[in-house]
Amino acid sequence: MKILVAIYSSFAGWNIPDSHVERLRREFPDHEFLHARGEAGVAPLIAEAEVAFASELRKHHLAAARRLRWVHSPAVGIGGMLFPEMVASPVTMTNSRGVTAGPISEHVIAVVLAVFRKLPLAIRRQAEGIWAQHEIAADPPVRQLSESRVLLIGLGSIGAAVARKMVALGARVAAIRRRTTAPAPDGVEVHGSDALHGQLSAADVVVVTAPQTRATWGMIGAAELRAMRRDAIVVNVSRGKLIDEAALASALRDGTIGGAALDVFAEEPLPPDSPLWRLPNVLITPHTSWQRTQHWDDVTAQFAANLRRFEAGQPLINPVDKTAGY
Ligand SMILES: NC(=O)c1ccc[n+]([C@@H]2O[C@H](COP(=O)([O-])OP(=O)(O)OC[C@H]3O[C@@H](n4cnc5c(N)ncnc54)[C@H](OP(=O)(O)O)[C@@H]3O)[C@@H](O)[C@H]2O)c1
């Protein structure tokens, strides 16, 4: 069987290392692994491939694919590959759900504690050699997670990992998800989307972990920001387009909400003229919440486990509902 590996990006961290493609070749000597290192390399190689381990496939790639049956994404968010022809096609899609839940949940804990404990201000004053005791003690107050209510929008692999850590730290945790009767971590109050505004008004911290789909695009806009507490913090580790960025910048500037920790943006890299760069109550990370040393080991191992299942005709792990978009 021919398997196309097409995982490439201008950001090196999103490229599968050659060593891991070699690892797959050693583990599956009966299959031929074709490796495309850029978009132009995909069309000629995909024609005979039955499987694609791919981060981006375009409409013309699908048109060139004569034998494609299954696409596995090294990411979780695969919206860019869900163009109408792919959704309508019989190609099965799976993703790498779960691989980034550990680092991203630690990242969420880190940024919420950093904002609650006013660490960005302490770091700025340290660089200036200033003893900022009065400034840090002034309003807004330093806060404690165990006295807080956290609302997760999305309770999938990342949301559930954040929930477990928040519960362990003593926070009260609620979540909004689509399937309200699906199993949830202990101690988490689960609601459907109809409860969004009521839940937003009760939360000290709002963490966005839902996927980017037609239903979630812009789901946090001016009205949702107005529903939040004036001291609420918004954390986005999902996709930038779930939040109306202009409305968010206004809400942060005029005190409608207290602060934000943002890892993802509508446009990446975040343009230099974005007002978000200059707001003192915003903590920006450049889409790095997922990073850790074992990332590609685990992504490759998860694909290999799924390939064994594919070979055996067993149900694949992490299937994507192409119509729902995640
Ligand atoms: N920052 C990064 O580097 C990074 C890395 C990985 C992933 N991500 C992003 O994070 C997203 C979540 O990842 P994951 O692994 O947690 O995905 P997941 O396991 O598929 O979970 C998605 C969750 O969102 C919920 N959801 C879907 N549509 C919704 C809606 N309309 N309203 C409310 N909740 C909704 C789902 O509800 P049900 O449980 O009811 O189905 C599920 O709980 C990905 O889609 C990706 O965009 C970002």
Side-chain angles (χ1 to χ4, degrees), residues 14 75-78 95-98 100-101 104 153-159 176-180 182 193 209-213 215-216 219 236-239 263-264 287-290 326:
W14 282 324
V76 185
I78 60 162
N95 68 11
S96 295
R97 186 181 295 124
T100 52
I104 294 182
I153 301 180
L155 192 62
S157 77
I158 296 171
I176 303 278
R177 73 187 309 179
R178 278 177 74 222
R179 298 166 301 132
T180 50
S193 297
T209 70
Q212 182 183 311
T213 66
T216 63
M219 74 188 293
N236 190 4
V237 287
S238 167
R239 286 288 181 267
D263 187 54
V264 288
H287 206 149
T288 46
S289 60
W290 58 277
Y326 71 104

Side-chain angles (χ1 to χ4, degrees), residues 150-219:
V150 176
L151 175 66
L152 301 163
I153 301 180
L155 192 62
S157 77
I158 296 171
V162 174
R164 281 189 285 270
K165 290 182 171 119
M166 288 290 185
V167 168
L169 288 165
R172 281 161 293 138
V173 179
I176 303 278
R177 73 187 309 179
R178 278 177 74 222
R179 298 166 301 132
T180 50
T181 55
D186 287 346
V188 179
E189 195 186 298
V190 177
H191 301 272
S193 297
D194 51 339
L196 179 63
H197 278 235
Q199 289 301 316
L200 287 173
S201 66
D204 299 282
V205 179
V206 176
V207 185
V208 180
T209 70
Q212 182 183 311
T213 66
R214 277 193 304 278
T216 63
W217 190 298
M219 74 188 293

Side-chain angles (χ1 to χ4, degrees), residues 13-190:
W14 282 324
N15 287 311
I16 187 169
D18 283 353
S19 56
H20 289 62
V21 180
E22 286 310 317
R23 195 181 287 184
L24 287 169
R25 288 186 173 123
R26 280 196 304 277
E27 194 174 338
F28 296 92
D30 295 339
H31 301 318
E32 184 181 350
F33 285 86
L34 313 168
H35 190 184
R37 288 186 170 76
E39 190 178 339
V42 175
L45 295 179
I46 203 168
E48 297 303 322
E50 279 179 62
V51 174
F53 181 22
S55 48
E56 300 187 351
L57 288 180
R58 306 279 173 226
K59 203 170 141 176
H60 68 279
H61 296 142
L62 182 65
R66 292 196 291 263
R67 304 163 62 89
L68 191 63
R69 292 198 286 144
W70 167 41
V71 176
H72 182 86
S73 163
V76 185
I78 60 162
M81 288 200 274
L82 292 177
F83 45 86
E85 292 80 357
M86 183 67 92
V87 174
S89 79
V91 173
T92 297
M93 297 186 84
T94 54
N95 68 11
S96 295
R97 186 181 295 124
V99 167
T100 52
I104 294 182
S105 58
E106 290 192 12
H107 180 92
V108 171
I109 300 295
V111 293
V112 172
L113 285 175
V115 173
F116 269 21
R117 309 308 301 169
K118 298 175 88 167
L119 299 188
L121 175 60
I123 292 166
R124 283 199 292 273
R125 295 298 177 255
Q126 179 183 344
E128 296 159 351
I130 293 173
W131 182 254
Q133 198 174 34
H134 292 292
E135 199 180 1
I136 289 174
D139 270 347
V142 175
R143 287 190 271 174
Q144 185 175 320
L145 250 185
S146 57
E147 294 173 341
S148 305
R149 182 173 170 93
V150 176
L151 175 66
L152 301 163
I153 301 180
L155 192 62
S157 77
I158 296 171
V162 174
R164 281 189 285 270
K165 290 182 171 119
M166 288 290 185
V167 168
L169 288 165
R172 281 161 293 138
V173 179
I176 303 278
R177 73 187 309 179
R178 278 177 74 222
R179 298 166 301 132
T180 50
T181 55
D186 287 346
V188 179
E189 195 186 298
V190 177

